Amino acid sequence: MILTNVILDIVAYKKYNIPKQLKNDVWTFLNENNIGNRFEGNGNKEQQFVGLVGEIMVKRLFGFDHEFKKGFDGGFDFQYKGFKIDVKTMGRKVDVKDYFVNNFVEHQIKYDCDIYIFCSLNKVKNELTICGFITKKELLNVGTLVKKGSTRYRKDGSTFKSRTAMFEIKNTDLKNIEKLFYYIPKY
C-alpha cells in the first residue's frame, strides 16, 4: 500500500486524559493475562499496561471499540481505510518534547503493518499524548537502528542499555495524527 498526498508539518501533540475505568479494566485483564509473548522485548506488566492503554485510547479516537483478546494480534492493532495500524506507546514521567525519540523493536518490522502511531503516557499526569504517525517505509528511512546492549544517553544525563535491537524515531520525523484521517489509500 502507498500513502499519497503526504504532508510534512510541524508536530502538533494531542493530549487526552486516561479514564479511571479504562485503567482498571486494563489492569484486571493484565493480572490474568500476559500479552508479551514475543521472543524478545516483551515488556513487564507495567510496560504492557502502558502499551494497552495507548492502543485502546487511539482506537477510541478512530471510533473503534476494543475487545480484550489473548494471544498474538498479528502485528497490528486495527485497520483504518485499508491500512494496518500499530500503536506504540512509551511510559514517561514528563511531558513530551520535540527532541524525544520513540522506540520501535527491530524484529517487529517483519509484521504486516503499514502505519505506526507513536504515543507517550505521562504516568504522573495520567495523560496520553499522541506524538504522531509514520509509515513503515518512512520509519526504515529515517529511524536510527540501535544494537542490542548499546548505551543510550538522555538529555538529563542519565543512560540505559537497550534490551533489544530497536529503531529510534524522532518526534520531529512524525506527522500530525490529524493528517491520517484525510489519507486515501492507493493500491
Side-chain angles (χ1 to χ4, degrees):
M1 215 175 295
I2 299 171
L3 289 179
T4 60
N5 302 324
V6 175
I7 301 170
L8 295 176
D9 60 318
I10 296 172
V11 176
Y13 304 115
K14 300 294 179 191
K15 297 181 180 188
Y16 301 91
N17 289 323
I18 302 165
K20 185 176 181 177
Q21 186 61 50
L22 171 61
K23 290 171 49 175
N24 291 339
D25 292 346
V26 171
W27 275 124
T28 298
F29 177 75
L30 289 176
N31 283 330
E32 299 171 4
N33 300 278
N34 179 3
I35 60 171
N37 294 313
R38 300 178 296 242
F39 71 92
E40 185 177 61
N42 293 316
N44 59 34
K45 287 289 185 188
E46 183 177 340
Q47 292 164 329
Q48 291 177 29
F49 170 81
V50 166
L52 197 48
V53 166
E55 174 186 337
I56 294 168
M57 293 285 290
V58 171
K59 281 180 175 176
R60 288 179 177 179
L61 177 67
F62 280 79
F64 297 110
D65 291 327
H66 178 79
E67 181 181 331
F68 289 101
K69 295 180 183 177
K70 299 177 186 178
F72 181 57
D73 63 9
F76 64 96
D77 296 322
F78 65 99
Q79 292 188 53
Y80 179 75
K81 291 188 174 182
F83 295 117
K84 293 177 181 172
I85 299 176
D86 199 20
V87 179
K88 300 296 179 189
T89 307
M90 293 179 67
R92 294 188 165 104
K93 295 181 181 176
V94 296
D95 285 333
V96 172
K97 307 287 185 221
D98 284 345
Y99 61 84
F100 283 7
V101 296
N102 301 278
N103 299 329
F104 178 82
V105 176
E106 180 192 28
H107 71 80
Q108 292 183 4
I109 205 71
K110 66 184 176 197
Y111 299 139
D112 184 18
C113 185
D114 304 304
I115 294 173
Y116 302 100
I117 297 175
F118 289 96
C119 301
S120 178
L121 191 152
N122 185 322
K123 299 179 222 177
V124 175
K125 291 184 175 180
N126 191 44
E127 187 174 77
L128 183 79
T129 301
I130 299 177
C131 301
F133 78 96
I134 193 167
T135 67
K136 181 189 280 190
K137 182 178 179 182
E138 291 165 332
L139 182 146
L140 292 170
N141 287 331
V142 302
T144 302
L145 183 58
V146 175
K147 293 181 181 180
K148 179 179 180 176
S150 297
T151 301
R152 309 310 302 144
Y153 300 89
R154 296 183 181 115
K155 292 276 186 185
D156 67 3
S158 65
T159 63
F160 70 94
K161 290 207 181 282
S162 61
R163 294 182 298 147
T164 186
M166 64 184 177
F167 287 92
E168 290 182 338
I169 302 94
K170 297 176 188 174
N171 275 337
T172 53
D173 287 329
L174 301 177
K175 293 177 204 58
N176 184 318
I177 190 69
E178 291 180 358
K179 302 291 183 194
L180 190 52
F181 293 104
Y182 303 107
Y183 283 131
I184 299 172
K186 296 261 183 176
Y187 299 94

